[in-house]
Amino acid sequence: MEGLAEALGGSTGPIPSSNAEDYVNDYVIEAQWAEKCGKQSETYFKLLTAIDPKKLRLTRLDDEMHEDFLTCFGDMQLDVIRVNDLHAPEAKAMWRAFCMKYEKKVEDYNFGTLIRLDASGEYSEENTILVPRVQFYAIEIARNRRGINSCHYEAAQKAKET
């Protein structure tokens, strides 16, 4: 699915490179960012229910990213993600190195994106965590290829039959 980056919101423009202390929280920007994340999540979940996830391509780099993910994180539990697999200091260092490989390859590679902790569930406040876009892609590509997300597609197909 080549246009997923656009469907998930595309570019947000350059990220400020100045000192973080120079910026204050702008509630309008925060609200716009939260709305964009919500729309991305909604779009992705609709894709999971409309297309067999095993056939879904999220980027033009799916194969490369998946091989890289398997090399770096092949033993990671994907059905229910443990937060420590993403946020423990050692995990953060490994994920940062992984994400940086895609800095020039994936637009908005580090844009905050919501991912479901429990793949069998929908997006909800209790079932989501914020991750960089590349991390979202890597985990969701692996979930799709392993058939972990297929439950949503199968449920949607059954609902259509009734």
Side-chain angles (χ1 to χ4, degrees), residues 50-106:
I51 300 168
D52 181 352
K54 292 178 188 172
K55 298 177 184 175
L56 186 61
R57 293 193 57 85
L58 301 183
T59 75
R60 62 181 172 75
L61 300 170
D62 280 18
D63 295 336
E64 175 186 340
M65 201 176 296
H66 185 63
E67 285 300 316
D68 198 11
F69 173 81
L70 291 176
T71 300
C72 298
F73 305 102
D75 60 345
M76 183 178 168
Q77 180 180 330
L78 293 174
D79 55 342
V80 180
I81 295 172
R82 295 178 299 248
V83 175
N84 278 344
D85 286 342
L86 306 177
H87 288 223
E90 183 179 309
K92 279 185 174 182
M94 290 176 62
W95 275 111
R96 176 153 176 74
F98 180 91
C99 291
M100 292 308 294
K101 293 177 191 177
Y102 296 94
E103 179 180 17
K104 304 262 190 254
K105 296 179 179 183
V106 175

Side-chain angles (χ1 to χ4, degrees), residues 16 19 22 34 36-37 63 69 84 97-98 119-120 145:
N19 191 347
D22 296 340
K36 184 173 183 175
C37 279
D63 295 336
F69 173 81
N84 278 344
F98 180 91
S120 68
R145 291 191 177 188

